[in-house]
Amino acid sequence: MRIDVGGLGFDRDAVAVVTGAANGIGRATSLMLAAAGVAVAAWDLDGDSLRGVAREIRSLGSECHPYVADLTDAGAIDDGWRSVAALGKPVRYLVSNAGPPASTPMDVGHV
């Protein structure tokens, strides 16, 4: 199914940063933004899958700037924001989607 998202009013001169962009919701969101003409800075730890998403985004005619990083590393996050700033476009959208796979057990007893 193809959905026309061009009329949603996204700023085509801006960048969207999507974390967890290689799979699942992050991938789908990245592709939707790309279909709307937004440049996507796609961040993920899974480099192979991220490169695949970047190819898909570019095949839609949009810019993709993949960034492979462990987002639990503050230095990697700083480097990522520097790379986005170097694009020279405003960041209008942030999709904070990175996280462990759903099958990863989590201990929330300390919360």
Side-chain angles (χ1 to χ4, degrees):
M1 174 192 327
R2 188 101 171 125
I3 299 172
D4 180 11
V5 294
L8 294 178
F10 286 105
D11 183 350
R12 292 171 180 245
D13 295 320
V15 176
V17 175
V18 181
T19 67
N23 297 290
I25 293 170
R27 178 182 170 275
T29 303
S30 295
L31 293 171
M32 184 275 304
L33 287 163
V38 178
V40 178
W43 296 12
D44 205 287
L45 184 60
D46 180 351
D48 290 336
S49 294
L50 187 59
R51 284 183 282 281
V53 170
R55 280 190 298 274
E56 288 181 81
I57 289 171
R58 290 175 182 137
S59 77
L60 294 171
S62 286
E63 290 179 50
C64 184
H65 307 279
Y67 179 64
V68 179
D70 178 352
L71 298 182
T72 64
D73 176 349
I77 294 169
D78 289 344
D79 290 345
W81 283 114
R82 277 192 284 280
S83 72
V84 170
L87 298 174
K89 294 182 175 190
V91 176
R92 296 271 189 254
Y93 313 105
L94 170 63
V95 180
S96 183
N97 181 65
S103 61
T104 302
M106 297 181 74
D107 177 13
V108 293
H110 65 281
V111 175

